[in-house]
C-alpha cells in the first residue's frame, strides 16, 4: 500500500513538473509614458495591406492565429475590438537563420525603445515602428534574414497621439530547429505568456479557466 502511494505521488510530482515546463519565455514587458491602459476600452489589431506588410516568412494563416490569440486576451480583459479605436496593437517578429544586417543609422547606444534587442537584432514590425517611436531611437539594424528562435513582439500605441504605451515580447513562436511557426494551440500559449505581465488583469470570469 505504501509503495503504491509513493508511486502515485511520484507520478503526480512528475506530471506537475512536466506541465510547469513551457517552451515559451517572456522576453520583456514594459509600460511607457506612464500609460494607464485601464483607461482604454477599445482596441484594434494591425492588419496587413492597409497598415503594413507581413514580416518575412509569416503567412496569413499565422497572422490570423496570432491576431485571434491577442484578440482573445484583450476581450478577456474587458476591451472591445473597434476599427476606429485609437489603441493600435502592432505586431513585430524577430527570427533567425544566417542573418545579414546593415546599420539603419550610424552606431549609437541601443535605446530601450527599440527592443527587444535579441541576439543582436530588432523585430520586423508590420506597422513601421519609426512612425510612432521618436526619430532619435531609429538606430535599429535592417533585418534581411530569419531567426530560428522566433520572438514575437507586441506594441500598444495611442495612434491619435503617436504615443507608445506598452510593449511585450515572447520567445519562441517557431518550432525549435524546424523554422516553422507553431500551430494554433502553440501560438495561443505563446500569446498567453506574452500577456502574463500585462498591466490590465483578466476579468473575474476568466481567471480560473
Amino acid at each position: 500500500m505504501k509503495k503504491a502511494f509513493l508511486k502515485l505521488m511520484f507520478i503526480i510530482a512528475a506530471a506537475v513538473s512536466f506541465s510547469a515546463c513551457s517552451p515559451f519565455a517572456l522576453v520583456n514587458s514594459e509600460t511607457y509614458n506612464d500609460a494607464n491602459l485601464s483607461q482604454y476600452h477599445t482596441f484594434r489589431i494591425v492588419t496587413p495591406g492597409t497598415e503594413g506588410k507581413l514580416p518575412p516568412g509569416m503567412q496569413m494563416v499565422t497572422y490570423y492565429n496570432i491576431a485571434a490569440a491577442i484578440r482573445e486576451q484583450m476581450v478577456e480583459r474587458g476591451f472591445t475590438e473597434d476599427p476606429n479605436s485609437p489603441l493600435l496593437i502592432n505586431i513585430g517578429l524577430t527570427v533567425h537563420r544566417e542573418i545579414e544586417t546593415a546599420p539603419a543609422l550610424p552606431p549609437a547606444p541601443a535605446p530601450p525603445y527599440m527592443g527587444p534587442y535579441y541576439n543582436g537584432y530588432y523585430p520586423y514590425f508590420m506597422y513601421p515602428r519609426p512612425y510612432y517611436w521618436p526619430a532619435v531611437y531609429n538606430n535599429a539594424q535592417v533585418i534581411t534574414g530569419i531567426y530560428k528562435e522566433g520572438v514575437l513582439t507586441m506594441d500598444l500605441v495611442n495612434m491619435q497621439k503617436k504615443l507608445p504605451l506598452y510593449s511585450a515580447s515572447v520567445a519562441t513562436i517557431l518550432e525549435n530547429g524546424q523554422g516553422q511557426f507553431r500551430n494554433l494551440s502553440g501560438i495561443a500559449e505563446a500569446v498567453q505568456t506574452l500577456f502574463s505581465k500585462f498591466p490590465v488583469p483578466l476579468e473575474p470570469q476568466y481567471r480560473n479557466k
Side-chain angles (χ1 to χ4, degrees):
M1 184 76 177
K2 185 177 181 181
K3 286 183 178 179
F5 175 75
L6 291 174
K7 184 177 181 181
L8 177 62
M9 293 303 294
F10 176 80
I11 292 172
I12 292 172
V16 170
S17 175
F18 179 80
S19 63
C21 295
S22 172
F24 308 105
L26 191 67
V27 176
N28 73 299
S29 178
E30 298 287 341
T31 300
Y32 298 103
N33 297 302
D34 297 319
N36 181 0
L37 289 173
S38 63
Q39 293 180 342
Y40 293 83
H41 304 291
T42 62
F43 72 97
R44 60 189 177 93
I45 301 173
V46 63
T47 55
T50 57
E51 294 173 305
K53 58 183 180 179
L54 293 177
M58 182 187 285
Q59 303 297 322
M60 281 301 297
V61 64
T62 304
Y63 162 78
Y64 286 133
N65 289 343
I66 292 172
I70 290 174
R71 183 178 297 111
E72 180 179 14
Q73 291 292 325
M74 292 295 287
V75 168
E76 291 183 356
R77 286 168 170 76
F79 294 86
T80 302
E81 190 169 18
D82 181 347
N84 298 313
S85 176
L87 183 62
L88 174 71
I89 299 178
N90 193 18
I91 297 171
L93 185 68
T94 306
V95 286
H96 170 97
R97 240 177 234 147
E98 294 291 320
I99 297 192
E100 297 178 1
T101 62
L105 287 179
Y113 280 22
M114 288 307 301
Y117 190 71
Y118 193 79
N119 281 3
Y121 305 98
Y122 293 106
Y124 180 106
F125 282 91
M126 290 181 60
Y127 182 82
R129 214 180 201 193
Y131 289 1
Y132 55 86
W133 288 122
V136 67
Y137 299 116
N138 292 342
N139 71 331
Q141 292 179 310
V142 178
I143 298 176
T144 58
I146 299 188
Y147 256 97
K148 248 186 217 174
E149 289 86 355
V151 178
L152 175 66
T153 299
M154 171 185 72
D155 281 350
L156 272 69
V157 188
N158 182 326
M159 291 300 289
Q160 290 179 347
K161 299 179 179 179
K162 296 287 194 267
L163 188 69
L165 305 174
Y166 176 80
S167 184
S169 304
V170 63
T172 62
I173 201 69
L174 299 184
E175 293 285 357
N176 287 341
Q178 299 179 18
Q180 304 236 342
F181 285 95
R182 295 185 184 271
N183 59 21
L184 181 59
S185 62
I187 287 174
E189 187 179 347
V191 171
Q192 188 174 12
T193 301
L194 185 68
F195 275 83
S196 59
K197 291 188 178 180
F198 195 74
V200 179
L202 290 165
E203 297 277 275
Q205 65 269 32
Y206 299 113
R207 290 176 189 171
N208 297 316
K209 72 171 189 175

